Amino acid sequence: MMKKYFLLAFSLLFGLSQSQIIRKYSNEFLNIGAGARGLAMGGAVISNQDDVYASMWNPAGLMAIERDWQGAAMHAEYFESIAKYDYLAYAKVLEEGVFGVSVVRLGVDNILNTTQMIDSEGNIDYDKITKFSQSDYAAILSYAFHPAGNPKLDVGVNAKIVYRNVGKFANGYGFGFDIGAIYKADNGWKFGGMLRDATTTVNFWSINQKELSTVVNGEEFNPAPKDKMELTMPKLNVGASKIFNINSSLYVLPEAGINVDFAKTAALVSTDFASLTPYAGAELGYQKMIFVRLGVNRFQSITDIEDLKRKVSFQPSAGIGIKYRGLTLDYAITNSGIGGSNFYSNFFSLKLDMGQFRND
């Protein structure tokens, strides 16, 4: 029954999106990912994220949860704590699959509002400067299952509800779907794919023209945008991974793949139809208790501001993790990878596996 509801809603949204104009970007906060493990590996977890965090990388990975339920939480701060990112998730094993729910928030607080600082005659009044917050929220319902009972193939679907708020100026509501799959070959290789915003994600905006605009000497500044709707272009992530056992205590799990944006971007390979960005990452595990991770992602061709020469930028990442019984604590560090930026961000995430906790 759960699968039927997901497929029905998926079909309705597909029909709606085909009659609209598609934009390149929106809801980018949902592409950050969640869980310090995946972030430390540069997002190289499309085929091997096997826990409650899978909803943000590939919902098919939820099928790896075998008993009871899992809960998770993550907090991160960007650009010297200017932006804050929070994530909560829960996944429960059902008779025919795994159900999950996730909540995401990315916010910037105490932004100066100077729209009313200048009156209609051009006089400046600093007392009219106020502050506001800009926040993006999302609730994600996930369901993973074996199609036709095939244990080698996992399929997962996300249904996303989005709310975005820009102080008193504007707010928007949106909805969309992701779909993912993981195939487990007999030789130990796993192949995963995640199509984000599969039918395009629709966002409807409401603009407060009175708060946004300013009239000075009869001329209007900050006019409200004419377009009140955004459609997020689909993105495809594909990857392959395999566990290699070094000895009875050590293993290494590498993954490599390609991120595909169906738009022209600053990627190394970019056309009007699609842009391709490679990624890679690896996890070294000791007795499945201590983990060391590395990754690299977001390769881009950019222009240096100083000498105006083209160069390649990328986003490196690293992290560690420790697991005791059903409790896992992970840490990751990474920078933006844009223009050689030195803004490094720290990520901490916590996971409770109640099935393993009770079993131990």
Side-chain angles (χ1 to χ4, degrees):
M1 183 64 69
M2 182 76 69
K3 287 183 283 188
K4 291 181 179 179
Y5 283 127
F6 269 103
L7 293 174
L8 175 60
F10 188 89
S11 300
L12 290 174
L13 182 58
F14 181 81
L16 173 64
S17 66
Q18 296 308 298
S19 64
Q20 309 297 335
I21 299 174
I22 299 176
R23 295 189 178 185
K24 288 185 179 180
Y25 307 105
S26 68
N27 296 334
E28 286 299 305
F29 75 105
L30 291 177
N31 295 323
I32 294 174
R37 175 182 183 267
L39 293 165
M41 295 174 66
V45 292
I46 303 302
S47 64
N48 67 77
Q49 188 72 44
D50 56 1
D51 58 17
V52 64
Y53 287 108
S55 296
M56 295 296 287
W57 302 103
N58 184 349
L62 291 173
M63 280 303 294
I65 304 175
E66 298 178 347
R67 301 184 303 273
D68 220 324
W69 60 269
Q70 290 185 3
M74 188 187 88
H75 175 76
E77 298 185 2
Y78 292 88
F79 305 110
E80 299 182 348
S81 300
I82 293 176
K84 295 178 174 60
Y85 181 95
D86 293 288
Y87 175 83
L88 291 172
Y90 170 84
K92 171 69 175 176
V93 177
L94 305 178
E95 290 186 5
E96 296 184 358
V98 178
F99 171 78
V101 57
S102 309
V103 179
V104 184
R105 179 190 184 269
L106 176 64
V108 179
D109 301 315
N110 298 318
I111 304 172
L112 295 180
N113 172 19
T114 61
T115 58
Q116 307 303 317
M117 183 179 68
I118 304 176
D119 64 22
S120 59
E121 297 180 355
N123 299 313
I124 298 177
D125 185 354
Y126 293 103
D127 291 334
K128 291 186 177 181
I129 298 177
T130 57
K131 295 181 180 180
F132 69 98
S133 297
Q134 193 279 327
S135 301
D136 297 329
Y137 299 88
I140 304 172
L141 302 179
S142 308
Y143 185 70
F145 59 97
H146 292 306
N150 183 357
K152 292 185 178 181
L153 181 62
D154 303 332
V155 173
V157 179
N158 287 337
K160 303 183 293 189
I161 302 173
V162 179
Y163 172 69
R164 306 181 66 186
N165 175 263
V166 187
K168 298 179 180 180
F169 306 110
N171 59 76
Y173 295 88
F175 54 94
F177 287 85
D178 307 322
I179 186 168
I182 296 175
Y183 177 75
K184 293 163 284 188
D186 293 332
N187 58 6
W189 282 94
K190 289 184 178 181
F191 303 91
M194 164 73 154
L195 184 60
R196 301 178 184 273
D197 306 300
T199 61
T200 71
T201 293
V202 186
N203 287 282
F204 300 97
W205 283 92
S206 175
I207 310 295
N208 188 333
Q209 178 61 51
K210 181 179 179 181
E211 290 289 340
L212 180 64
S213 66
T214 301
V215 178
V216 179
N217 295 326
E219 183 178 356
E220 183 181 16
F221 294 87
N222 304 321
K226 294 181 180 180
D227 298 328
K228 304 295 177 62
M229 185 176 67
E230 293 178 339
L231 296 185
T232 306
M233 286 288 289
K235 292 180 174 63
L236 176 64
N237 312 118
V238 294
S241 64
K242 182 179 180 179
I243 294 178
F244 296 90
N245 293 309
I246 300 174
N247 54 43
S248 59
S249 299
L250 283 173
Y251 75 85
V252 62
L253 170 60
E255 176 174 303
I258 296 176
N259 298 324
V260 182
D261 290 282
F262 294 100
K264 190 174 181 63
T265 70
L268 297 182
V269 179
S270 183
T271 67
D272 290 335
F273 172 71
S275 300
L276 308 180
T277 305
Y279 70 84
E283 175 182 79
L284 177 66
Y286 174 72
Q287 293 188 346
K288 297 183 179 181
M289 293 178 58
I290 300 174
F291 311 92
V292 178
R293 303 167 181 127
L294 296 172
V296 62
N297 203 340
R298 299 184 185 276
F299 289 90
Q300 292 184 328
S301 177
I302 65 173
T303 300
D304 189 279
I305 298 177
E306 295 181 356
D307 56 21
L308 300 181
K309 292 182 179 179
R310 302 292 293 178
K311 67 177 185 179
V312 175
S313 71
F314 58 90
Q315 178 177 311
S317 55
I320 58 175
I322 184 168
K323 179 179 178 181
Y324 177 71
R325 298 181 69 180
L327 192 63
T328 304
L329 176 64
D330 293 314
Y331 166 77
I333 183 170
T334 183
N335 75 350
S336 67
I338 300 175
S341 169
N342 291 319
F343 284 105
Y344 280 82
S345 299
N346 299 290
F347 301 83
F348 294 90
S349 64
L350 187 66
K351 180 181 70 175
L352 175 63
D353 186 340
M354 186 55 66
Q356 186 172 1
F357 188 82
R358 289 175 175 171
N359 187 59
D360 293 342

